[in-house]
Amino acid sequence: MGWTGLVVVVACIAELIGQVEIPFGATVSMTLLPMIWAILMGGFISGNPWKSMPVPWQEAAGILMNMSVLILGARLSFNIGPNIPTLLDAGPALLLQEVGHLFGTLILALPLAVALKMGPATIGATFSIDREPSFAMVAERYGSKSPQYQGVLSMYVFGTVFGAIIISLVTSITMGFGLLDPLALAMGSGVGSGSMMAAAAAVISQGHPEVSDQVLAMAATSNLITTVLGLYVGIWVALPAADWLYKKLSGDKDLTYGVPKENLAQTNDPDAEAKVAKLLGSSVKIPTWLTVAIIFVAGIIVTVVSHVRSPEEPGAELNWGATMAGWAIMLALTVGSQWLGRLTKGKIPAIAIVMTLGAYLSSQWFPWADQLNTAVGSTSLVAIITLILTMAGLSLGKDLPMLKTIGWKIIPVGIVAVIASFLCAAVIAEFALGFWTV
């Protein structure tokens, strides 16, 4: 069980390193969060050429990660419920801009990835700009050992490191042409990433100080809408659309590898089961109760370290009871959603179930929503993401050959994906503003 201690140690070191900001001029900077250190350290430990981490340990880390991404979905869902009234009050322009985020990447980034022969990783890399919820969507649909998942991982790392810089530059250039209303640009900046949204909104506010407050409000609301709607749009629309479009453009009809076994009945490939077994087969099995116990303990420890390193409220003490209750609630939601997903034979993904249940339990319509929100809210979202990416890094070594096939291709694809998501949403918002007053 030494690998469980390794997960905790790496995640805690990443949290202790903390956030590092690298300035590029007066207004543009690159922020490296603890999650970046986590995946870099984990990847080095698992895949270094001198003494790499044993493959069974890497597989065990992958098993933990599969459940952890659902926990992330549970945590994010508790940001949805309290904000449902805000979403209902949002104007049509704010709602329609989500169409731009959806089709921007599919129309521009996906064809580029196909042209660069990125393979099935194209699907995971281009169905969105791949922030945290994308891990859960793709891992459940294709498996965490699939090329589609490696595409998500590559795009996530690229966007985390370079996304804020790219969107700051494109916002500044676009604003210089004076063709789009600053409020439309603010709506377009809500791409689903807090750092990218903040970077773009800062540039717009600086260029239009007369509407600075409105810009920040629009950007924040747009980002909230993208985060909330993007979860459901990603599951039911974007990911299936990316899969379909990739097959049409690439001519690659055999995408059975990486697909859950229960979906094999949908293919006529006689070797499909063997392909899945070879790719997804693992000699490591961890009982659910043990997985839950490991994640619970690791989550509490990393949350404590995160609080000590950079508390959300300086001077505030950690509420141990609320934090432990919050982790217990998220784990219960995760296990329950997995069970319900199996009851539907995979027709309703567990991530959709956990998000919907969490949103209801945290909404004004649930009698004990305040108590649940207090408990789950005491858990650090940043710490959860750091823990997940630690597991992703520690399971990465065995997949390095697959990642190398993506290589430099993620750079042009990532740049186009971020720019397309922002510009398409801003243009749609501009037209919508002409019809409705927001």
Side-chain angles (χ1 to χ4, degrees):
M1 296 292 286
W3 55 271
T4 59
L6 190 58
V7 169
V8 174
V9 169
V10 171
C12 288
I13 292 175
E15 285 291 342
L16 290 172
I17 294 173
Q19 177 176 313
V20 176
E21 189 167 316
I22 303 173
F24 291 90
T27 59
V28 179
S29 64
M30 177 171 65
T31 302
L32 301 179
L33 297 173
M35 59 193 73
I36 288 295
W37 313 127
I39 194 168
L40 289 178
M41 286 188 291
F44 177 78
I45 292 170
S46 67
N48 73 82
W50 305 285
K51 187 175 177 59
S52 59
M53 185 174 167
V55 172
W57 286 24
Q58 295 183 40
E59 292 179 343
I63 292 173
L64 291 183
M65 185 184 64
N66 288 338
M67 177 171 284
S68 296
V69 291
L70 289 177
I71 293 172
L72 174 61
R75 177 63 177 82
L76 290 170
S77 71
F78 275 77
N79 291 337
I80 297 176
N83 290 293
I84 289 176
T86 302
L87 299 178
L88 295 176
D89 291 339
L94 273 167
L95 295 173
L96 285 173
Q97 54 82 32
E98 175 60 21
V99 176
H101 295 310
L102 167 62
F103 289 106
T105 54
L106 291 178
I107 293 173
L108 297 176
L110 190 146
L112 175 61
V114 171
L116 293 175
K117 300 187 183 304
M118 215 161 89
T122 295
I123 297 169
T126 61
F127 84 99
S128 74
I129 62 165
D130 287 348
R131 303 326 297 154
E132 291 79 11
S134 299
F135 283 93
M137 298 180 208
V138 175
E140 185 172 17
R141 184 179 177 92
Y142 297 103
S144 60
K145 295 185 180 181
S146 65
Q148 291 90 335
Y149 182 82
Q150 299 305 325
V152 168
L153 185 59
S154 297
M155 183 61 186
Y156 181 87
V157 173
F158 176 84
T160 301
V161 176
F162 299 109
I165 298 175
I166 294 169
I167 203 168
S168 296
L169 293 174
V170 72
T171 301
S172 180
I173 294 171
T174 305
M175 193 169 59
F177 286 107
L179 298 176
L180 298 177
D181 189 287
L183 297 184
L185 291 173
M187 294 179 201
S189 68
V191 293
S193 163
S195 60
M196 292 189 207
M197 180 272 290
V203 173
I204 301 166
S205 296
Q206 188 175 31
H208 297 275
E210 72 281 2
V211 289
S212 177
D213 290 342
Q214 289 175 276
V215 164
L216 294 176
M218 287 290 184
T221 305
S222 172
N223 206 59
L224 173 65
I225 290 172
T226 300
T227 301
V228 175
L229 294 184
L231 293 164
Y232 296 101
V233 171
I235 294 169
W236 302 112
V237 181
L239 195 53
D243 190 292
W244 177 84
L245 187 57
Y246 171 76
K247 291 177 182 177
K248 288 292 183 182
L249 294 179
S250 67
D252 185 357
K253 306 298 183 184
D254 180 16
L255 288 180
T256 53
Y257 46 89
V259 177
K261 291 183 179 181
E262 57 268 22
N263 292 342
L264 289 175
Q266 300 175 8
T267 179
N268 295 320
D269 184 357
D271 298 322
E273 188 168 356
K275 291 177 181 178
V276 172
K278 181 178 179 181
L279 187 67
L280 300 184
S282 172
S283 59
V284 176
K285 305 294 180 183
I286 306 177
T288 300
W289 68 266
L290 183 57
T291 304
V292 169
I294 292 171
I295 293 176
F296 179 78
V297 173
I300 294 294
I301 294 173
V302 177
T303 298
V304 171
V305 173
S306 176
H307 178 83
V308 172
R309 175 65 178 80
S310 50
E312 295 182 6
E313 296 182 15
E317 293 185 2
L318 181 68
N319 188 330
W320 283 90
T323 299
M324 294 178 72
W327 272 96
I329 291 167
M330 292 188 297
L331 281 163
L333 269 175
T334 296
V335 174
S337 297
Q338 288 179 320
W339 178 75
L340 289 172
R342 285 193 292 270
L343 282 183
T344 67
K345 297 183 179 180
K347 293 180 180 178
I348 303 179
I351 182 62
I353 297 172
V354 78
M355 294 295 306
T356 303
L357 286 176
Y360 169 67
L361 295 176
S362 60
S363 71
Q364 60 185 346
W365 299 290
F366 187 70
W368 301 284
D370 290 341
Q371 293 87 334
L372 294 180
N373 285 330
T374 299
V376 175
S378 67
T379 63
S380 170
L381 179 59
V382 172
I384 294 173
I385 297 170
T386 299
L387 189 60
I388 291 174
L389 290 192
T390 298
M391 298 169 185
L394 291 174
S395 67
L396 195 60
K398 61 187 181 342
D399 300 324
L400 285 179
M402 190 183 295
L403 276 177
K404 288 178 182 177
T405 64
I406 301 175
W408 62 269
K409 299 171 186 176
I410 196 62
I411 297 174
V413 171
I415 291 172
V416 170
V418 173
I419 293 175
S421 181
F422 167 71
L423 287 181
C424 287
V427 169
I428 288 175
E430 177 76 18
F431 280 103
L433 282 171
F435 291 97
W436 293 284
T437 300
V438 181

